[in-house]
Amino acid sequence: MLLSKVCTSGKLIAIWLINDSDINIIKESNAASSIAAWSLPINVSNISLSASSPIAVINNNDDIVVVWSAYSSLNGLQNYFVATRPSGTGIWSSPVHLSTIGSVHNDARLSLHDNGNILVVWTAYTTPDETAVGVYTSSSNIATGIWATPIGIS
């Protein structure tokens, strides 16, 4: 189990990673209350890219953000992806390809404030021989879903 929570509204949320035909997929299901039926699980991550090292957070407004790494065919490296679910809509965003610089370590950190601001910080190799490592960050707001271009901070 990746994350389980009883939200302030009483809604129950479960998020987990499951292997389906050799592809790791992040799924989510929820129930309106402890006596309500659970929704059918939905895919949070891209079903064609095997997810690994997922991190999920829920704020006090019941907004959800999930970050994970996956091999990207765009650059042939492990990259980070992110999906959001604002409590207002209850609908998951399509996965966003967050990191495109170097091959990432599986050490992302994720923060979600009650005002909807999201911050992701991670390290990635910055040289082809993987001898140098940089720290990168990107941010967004749950309401807009628009991610800042990742920048190196070290």
Side-chain angles (χ1 to χ4, degrees), residues 47-76:
I47 61 170
S48 64
L49 301 174
S50 193
S52 64
S53 304
I55 303 167
V57 294
I58 300 177
N59 66 10
N60 288 325
N61 298 320
D62 302 338
D63 300 316
I64 307 173
V65 180
V66 179
V67 171
W68 66 94
S69 66
Y71 174 82
S72 171
S73 59
L74 292 177
N75 63 9

Side-chain angles (χ1 to χ4, degrees), residues 84 96 140-147:
T84 58
V96 174
S140 183
N141 185 280
I142 197 83
T144 66
I146 299 169
W147 285 88

Side-chain angles (χ1 to χ4, degrees), residues 3-68:
L3 177 74
S4 62
K5 182 173 181 179
V6 177
C7 299
T8 53
S9 64
K11 185 178 217 172
L12 310 175
I13 295 176
I15 299 173
W16 66 96
L17 183 68
I18 188 167
N19 186 282
D20 185 2
S21 302
D22 292 327
I23 300 287
N24 292 329
I25 300 172
I26 300 168
K27 295 193 175 260
E28 183 258 348
S29 180
N30 60 73
S33 70
S34 61
I35 59 171
W38 283 84
S39 66
L40 291 175
I42 62 167
N43 297 330
V44 175
S45 60
N46 187 322
I47 61 170
S48 64
L49 301 174
S50 193
S52 64
S53 304
I55 303 167
V57 294
I58 300 177
N59 66 10
N60 288 325
N61 298 320
D62 302 338
D63 300 316
I64 307 173
V65 180
V66 179
V67 171
W68 66 94

